[in-house]
Amino acid sequence: MKRYRPYIILILLCISPCILAKDTWNNAVFQTVKPLENKAYRLRLINGDICTGISLGKGIDALRENGSIEESIVLKTLSNVDTIYADDIAEISILEDAYRFDSQLFLMPTANPIKSNHSLQITELCFAQAHIGWDRFSVIAGASLIPGITWQEQVKLLNVKATIYQENNVDMPGKYAFATGINLGFANSNNAIQHIYAVGSFTMERTTLTTTAFYKVGVSDIYEAKASSFGSTLISMPNGTLGFGIGFDTRLSDRHETRAIAELWCLDLLKPRNSAAFIGIRLHSSVYAADFGLSLFSAPFIIPACSFKWMPF
């Protein structure tokens, strides 16, 4: 056996580069996400097309006229097996992480955590927010920026959420999540309106369904909100008020980056007239999102609503 040892070592040295090359990705587009076999990925091509499928591993490299070596991924889609080269790919992401805006509907938080998808948001062109996540914890802080109103009279918000349960669905694509949190709002700096809440989300292949229940806590039942020359108004929200909300976020079948979103709030289950709703669409990439729709109130009246979000990190 000893006399064959040098030959065995020589053979191993010869084939090891091939073995290593199979699992090594050198092109820049593959550095953030290194594809693994039998895992689902979403590819955005440089021509704007979206491809999703299961990776069958690394394909054969191609030598371009400029001397560059372009690696390829073999992707099994619903209808075909495609070899896609690095210079045709603008972005690659794990399929389950491709949609980065699943922690919130229009206003309603879902049970999904923000994780590392930190973002900045502007709602109705006058309410600025920052979204920060760490592991299972999510924080949203914001304030209105309405001209002609002092800082003490601006509306402010702090929402802290902890996702305490997550589990993948074993029977079908998707997952479950459950979270609890506290929402602290200020209608003027001296009017603190506090709610504790619980929220559950069920994510399927294209759709996320979310329900939430929230409970008013604090000291005051009536708040006077002032807005400089705009006047003032009284806000009645008794302690112990129980509210409920439901919403959904679904990807339109023909558009990978267009989604329909809707939510319904009832601030007091004993007073159904204290309800509001939003219905609209979300256009998004992996960095930007824009929501457009209508907000409906039980008065009744309807106002256009919009929101823009940016993930710089």
Side-chain angles (χ1 to χ4, degrees):
M1 184 66 183
K2 291 183 178 180
R3 64 177 179 174
Y4 295 110
R5 187 177 297 172
Y7 299 102
I8 295 174
I9 294 174
L10 181 62
I11 293 172
L12 290 175
L13 289 174
C14 291
I15 67 173
S16 60
C18 300
I19 297 173
L20 292 173
K22 191 69 177 178
D23 298 324
T24 301
W25 299 86
N26 299 311
N27 289 152
V29 73
F30 295 121
Q31 294 310 299
T32 53
V33 175
K34 298 182 184 295
L36 302 174
E37 288 189 24
N38 300 317
K39 195 171 183 67
Y41 293 92
R42 177 181 182 271
L43 280 64
R44 181 167 61 85
L45 307 184
I46 59 175
N47 63 2
D49 290 345
I50 302 293
C51 294
T52 60
I54 305 295
S55 171
L56 299 181
K58 189 174 182 181
I60 300 174
D61 296 348
L63 178 63
R64 302 304 190 207
E65 292 182 356
N66 60 5
S68 66
I69 297 176
E70 301 297 334
E71 298 169 317
S72 65
I73 179 175
V74 181
L75 202 68
K76 181 181 180 181
T77 65
L78 288 176
S79 59
N80 206 353
V81 175
D82 297 319
T83 299
I84 304 175
Y85 288 92
D87 54 354
D88 291 324
I89 302 172
E91 181 183 56
I92 180 172
S93 56
I94 300 172
L95 184 60
E96 61 186 21
D97 297 331
Y99 180 46
R100 304 176 65 195
F101 300 93
D102 63 346
S103 63
Q104 185 183 33
L105 300 180
F106 186 70
L107 295 177
M108 182 185 299
T110 70
N112 299 318
I114 293 175
K115 297 186 287 190
S116 60
N117 297 319
H118 318 302
S119 64
L120 301 174
Q121 180 177 357
I122 185 79
T123 302
E124 292 292 58
L125 304 180
C126 67
F127 193 81
Q129 301 172 66
H131 299 244
I132 301 172
W134 178 74
D135 195 25
R136 293 174 177 265
F137 297 94
S138 305
V139 177
I140 301 174
S144 62
L145 303 172
I146 303 174
I149 298 179
T150 65
W151 175 250
Q152 289 74 19
E153 295 173 336
Q154 299 283 354
V155 176
K156 305 173 186 70
L157 168 73
L158 177 64
N159 185 295
V160 180
K161 179 183 71 178
T163 301
I164 59 178
Y165 175 78
Q166 282 184 296
E167 183 178 350
N168 291 328
N169 191 352
V170 297
D171 299 323
M172 57 187 293
K175 59 184 178 180
Y176 306 90
F178 181 79
T180 60
I182 182 169
N183 188 84
L184 178 60
F186 290 90
N188 301 156
S189 295
N190 59 337
N191 292 331
I193 304 174
Q194 306 167 57
H195 287 87
I196 56 175
Y197 68 89
V199 55
S201 295
F202 174 45
T203 301
M204 294 169 282
E205 188 173 6
R206 294 195 297 122
T207 302
T208 296
L209 298 176
T210 295
T211 58
T212 182
F214 44 95
Y215 184 78
K216 166 70 167 54
V217 296
V219 178
S220 301
D221 292 342
I222 299 178
Y223 307 86
E224 183 182 9
K226 299 179 180 179
S228 297
S229 59
F230 295 98
S232 63
T233 186
L234 293 177
I235 301 174
S236 177
M237 194 171 294
N239 289 328
T241 298
L242 179 64
F244 179 77
I246 186 171
F248 70 85
D249 174 350
T250 184
R251 178 174 62 85
L252 300 182
S253 58
D254 296 332
R255 303 287 298 180
H256 282 274
E257 297 182 336
T258 303
R259 307 180 73 91
I261 56 175
E263 59 188 55
L264 172 66
W265 297 84
C266 180
L267 298 179
D268 186 350
L269 289 178
L270 299 179
K271 299 177 180 178
R273 287 186 60 84
N274 293 346
S275 299
F278 171 86
I279 184 169
I281 62 170
R282 170 172 292 167
L283 308 175
H284 71 92
S285 65
S286 60
V287 178
Y288 303 101
D291 299 345
F292 303 96
L294 297 173
S295 293
L296 302 90
F297 300 88
S298 55
F301 63 91
I302 300 174
I303 62 172
C306 64
S307 176
F308 304 92
K309 187 176 286 187
W310 173 45
M311 290 185 177
F313 309 106

